[in-house]
Amino acid sequence: DGPSYIGLIPIPATDLGRTEEIVLDQDGVLTALQGGGTIKEQLRINSYNYKSSVPLALTSDQEEVIDNAYGGFIVEMGDSTEYTSFAEFQVSVHRAELATSWDASARKLNLRYVNGATAIDLSYLPAYPGTWGYTPPLDELFPERRVNGGHTYPAADLERDSTLSQQGRTGRLEKNGAVLESTPGLVSYLLTEPRSATYVGYNPLPDLADFRLSIPGGKRIVANGKIGLARVLIQISTDTVEVDFAMKDEQKSEPGLASEFLLFGFATPPKVICNGVQLQSLDTRTVNGEMAYLIEAFKPRHR
């Protein structure tokens, strides 16, 4: 579709008795859209375990076979920045190798897909004994999920890990030389943009948490106690610090709350915007022999 390419490779599906395995169909029906109007799919790809004019009769000896039935697709995607033409993309899809094997003792499908330098290994338990209304953990449904031999998902308590950001409950997030330290068990979020030297730390939920954001070059901002909902940005290119924070009224009487944010490693006072207001002056304090600029939390006075 324009510069975007997609290829679908059917995984050989369990044959429970069928006259056809893969059927391409254009018999879509018009479906109402939420915003008005109608639409229908232009192409449907049906993969069948069972296809017959006679309904499938469920018998005791068939039950396990049906429970262990599987099917699916490999999805290859690309665009005109990766391939000189759609024909080149098609060549890439056709060179791929797919191997599947059924482990009867473990009731598990093993799958290996190789295309060029990329190898995907997957195992799947189609008869995993979930219960009504319960969604089994994916690592139990898919015991193995690896790309080029490496695990494809973040470590425990790390919910997001991209080239620019991390989100999780580890109490320490690291990305592109920036480090965000918070309270273990509570969600925090670190976002970086190295090209503009911009670093943002979030306490994205109102839970009271520690906060310490360090960036490349030695600059850091530290709360001297617990903070609530907060977004803290340091942008080196403009020498700017932005602090936005709030907390619930009932939290303001909690012990150990922060009264200040301390800015370390700044040779001169940065531009500070606190809850949308630019501060005109900053007090200083020496902490363990190091000078810090102060941002008074919750009631900024210096405007």
Side-chain angles (χ1 to χ4, degrees), residues 234-251:
I234 303 177
Q235 187 173 63
I236 300 302
S237 58
T238 60
D239 200 28
T240 298
V241 175
E242 295 181 7
V243 179
D244 297 292
F245 53 85
M247 66 171 51
K248 297 181 288 188
D249 288 338
E250 59 267 27
Q251 291 178 319

Side-chain angles (χ1 to χ4, degrees):
D1 182 8
S4 301
Y5 310 143
I6 184 169
L8 300 178
I9 302 174
I11 296 170
T14 305
D15 186 356
L16 299 177
R18 59 189 173 215
T19 56
E20 296 159 307
E21 181 176 0
I22 302 293
V23 176
L24 307 185
D25 215 332
Q26 291 182 298
D27 63 348
V29 297
L30 290 172
T31 302
L33 296 172
Q34 288 183 334
T38 58
I39 193 172
K40 69 176 181 179
E41 69 269 32
Q42 295 301 305
L43 178 68
R44 185 189 307 118
I45 304 175
N46 298 310
S47 173
Y48 291 100
N49 296 117
Y50 181 82
K51 191 173 192 296
S52 171
S53 60
V54 180
L56 178 63
L58 178 60
T59 61
S60 58
D61 60 327
Q62 288 180 315
E63 188 170 346
E64 182 173 351
V65 176
I66 294 172
D67 284 346
N68 287 317
Y70 59 83
F73 295 87
I74 301 293
V75 181
E76 279 271 9
M77 292 179 287
D79 61 31
S80 56
T81 66
E82 301 173 89
Y83 300 92
T84 58
S85 65
F86 181 61
E88 183 184 354
F89 172 74
Q90 287 178 295
V91 170
S92 172
V93 173
H94 281 289
R95 78 183 178 198
E97 299 177 3
L98 171 64
T100 62
S101 63
W102 176 252
D103 184 339
S105 61
R107 306 175 75 186
K108 179 175 66 175
L109 172 69
N110 296 310
L111 180 150
R112 181 172 177 82
Y113 180 75
V114 180
N115 192 346
T118 301
I120 299 174
D121 292 284
L122 175 76
S123 62
Y124 170 55
L125 301 174
Y128 179 79
T131 58
W132 180 258
Y134 167 70
T135 302
L138 286 180
D139 58 355
E140 296 181 19
L141 281 172
F142 301 92
E144 182 179 16
R145 291 172 290 174
R146 297 188 179 277
V147 175
N148 293 336
H151 192 54
T152 57
Y153 290 84
D157 293 326
L158 196 60
E159 299 170 1
R160 172 184 292 179
D161 190 8
S162 74
T163 56
L164 298 176
S165 65
Q166 278 193 344
Q167 179 174 312
R169 304 171 186 270
T170 63
R172 181 182 175 89
L173 303 179
E174 300 183 55
K175 187 60 57 177
N176 295 321
V179 177
L180 176 59
E181 297 172 272
S182 58
T183 302
L186 299 180
V187 175
S188 57
Y189 181 29
L190 173 63
L191 179 62
T192 69
E193 207 296 290
R195 191 173 293 180
S196 64
T198 303
Y199 306 89
V200 191
Y202 292 85
N203 181 25
L205 300 176
D207 305 303
L208 296 178
D210 300 319
F211 189 94
R212 177 189 180 98
L213 175 62
S214 306
I215 67 171
K219 294 180 179 180
R220 62 192 189 278
I221 179 168
V222 181
N224 68 347
K226 303 286 186 181
I227 64 170
L229 194 69
R231 167 189 172 273
V232 177
L233 174 147
I234 303 177
Q235 187 173 63
I236 300 302
S237 58
T238 60
D239 200 28
T240 298
V241 175
E242 295 181 7
V243 179
D244 297 292
F245 53 85
M247 66 171 51
K248 297 181 288 188
D249 288 338
E250 59 267 27
Q251 291 178 319
K252 296 179 180 179
S253 60
E254 294 284 338
L257 294 181
S259 59
E260 298 166 330
F261 289 96
L262 295 90
L263 301 175
F264 293 96
F266 290 81
T268 57
K271 174 183 176 182
V272 175
I273 300 174
C274 185
N275 279 352
V277 177
Q278 182 174 344
L279 308 187
Q280 299 304 314
S281 63
L282 298 172
D283 290 337
T284 61
R285 180 183 303 145
T286 300
V287 181
N288 296 325
E290 187 176 10
M291 190 273 290
Y293 291 103
L294 307 180
I295 302 173
E296 183 180 354
F298 314 120
K299 294 181 180 180
R301 294 174 302 178
H302 309 293
R303 303 189 176 185

